Amino acid sequence: MQRLLTAAVLAPPFVASMFWGPWQVFMAIIVLGISLAAWEFGRIARPAGGRGVLALLPILIPLAAAALAVGPQHPRVVFSLAVGLVLVPACLVLFERSDLSKALAGVGALTFGTLYFAVPMLVCFRLRQFDSWVVFLGFAIVFLGDTGAYYFGRAFGRRKLAPRVSPNKSWEGAFGGLAVALLVTALWSLGRFEEIRWPLIGLAAVTSIAAQLGDLVESMFKRGSGIKDSGTLLPGHGGAYDRIDGLLFGLPVLWLGAQWLGIEALLP
């Protein structure tokens, strides 16, 4: 019940910013949510190394996303970002003087974490620029699919999906979440095009699978660090990272798939 109540409180203002507010308001919410999730990721990753510098992730991520955003017009910016992602994390860990046995893991966590969160942040910006209804579709596939997986798993779950990483997840829940994502996309397609466009159904399937893998990846990180929830910010959901873990994989896959389909496939 807490899970549904939290969603009922947070969803309306977020959807309002998606459709009717200025894009700056929408992106401010996205940056805040991702920054909170990145802070929680840093807390999970700290035992591996780079204890202090991981707190810089909420600063590095928007900078990396902005560099990627202007990259097509300024290739030198992208090259500078690539160089920076090699030099900056390594130098930060070096000057932190952390445990040398954890230096490589700390550099890896800082580099991976920057792109892990920066790319979805950029995709949210691109999707909002392109069409609010496509933003809505991406979030609906991930969030409603996740809700479907949760309740299908509780009701019918028998066979464990990844017991070493997440003992409570089941194949039945995964297929239930996929089915919900496909149903949502079919309804979205009917409302937008007055027909079901099957390439979109295929894109939704790939996006839903990617989102579920994103959920498992976060579970892998948490289990490796001995942490159950990334935080307690959202009752029934855990932390911000727990809430957006599927988006971190799902939204980039949705955007990439739309590029392969031809972005006009998402327009009426």
Side-chain angles (χ1 to χ4, degrees):
M1 182 59 70
Q2 274 190 331
R3 188 183 184 93
L4 294 176
L5 288 174
T6 300
V9 170
L10 295 180
F14 179 67
V15 172
S17 75
M18 189 185 299
F19 284 100
W20 300 293
W23 69 266
Q24 292 92 337
V25 173
F26 172 76
M27 283 308 301
I29 295 172
I30 293 297
V31 170
L32 175 61
I34 288 181
S35 296
L36 289 171
W39 178 269
E40 294 170 356
F41 169 82
R43 187 172 66 89
I44 292 169
R46 279 183 195 120
R51 296 179 64 86
V53 298
L54 284 165
L56 297 175
L57 275 173
I59 298 172
L60 296 176
I61 289 163
L63 294 175
L68 290 170
V70 302
Q73 293 79 32
H74 303 281
R76 285 177 294 182
V77 175
V78 175
F79 181 72
S80 299
L81 173 63
V83 172
L85 285 173
V86 173
L87 296 182
V88 173
C91 290
L92 286 173
V93 173
L94 171 66
F95 289 111
E96 186 187 38
R97 299 180 181 178
S98 58
D99 185 346
L100 291 180
S101 66
K102 297 181 177 180
L104 183 58
V107 172
L110 196 56
T111 304
F112 169 79
T114 300
L115 285 177
Y116 182 42
F117 292 100
V119 171
M121 186 180 289
L122 171 64
V123 169
C124 285
F125 173 68
R126 293 295 189 210
L127 288 174
R128 180 62 171 78
Q129 280 188 317
F130 177 66
D131 190 277
S132 294
W133 278 106
V134 180
V135 182
F136 179 82
L137 175 63
F139 278 81
I141 289 172
V142 175
F143 285 155
L144 295 181
D146 179 64
T147 300
Y150 177 79
Y151 287 106
F152 269 87
R154 288 189 63 180
F156 307 109
R158 298 292 182 273
R159 292 170 293 177
K160 300 298 183 183
L161 177 62
R164 191 170 66 94
V165 172
S166 186
N168 293 328
K169 290 185 173 61
S170 65
W171 282 102
E172 292 82 1
F175 283 116
L178 176 61
V180 170
L182 297 183
L183 176 61
V184 166
T185 306
L187 293 173
W188 184 90
S189 183
L190 284 171
R192 191 167 174 82
F193 308 117
E194 298 183 350
E195 64 177 356
I196 295 177
R197 293 193 175 177
W198 295 105
L200 288 183
I201 301 298
L203 177 57
V206 176
T207 300
S208 177
I209 292 169
Q212 295 195 47
L213 289 172
D215 192 335
L216 289 173
V217 165
E218 192 221 3
S219 296
M220 176 178 68
F221 293 154
K222 290 190 299 184
R223 187 156 292 274
S225 296
I227 294 173
K228 183 179 184 297
D229 292 319
S230 67
T232 58
L233 180 66
L234 304 174
H237 295 274
Y241 185 25
D242 293 318
R243 179 64 284 184
I244 72 165
D245 52 6
L247 291 172
L248 300 176
F249 276 24
L251 289 184
V253 167
L254 174 68
W255 181 251
L256 182 61
Q259 303 303 311
W260 281 98
L261 283 179
I263 200 69
E264 65 276 1
L266 300 175
L267 292 175

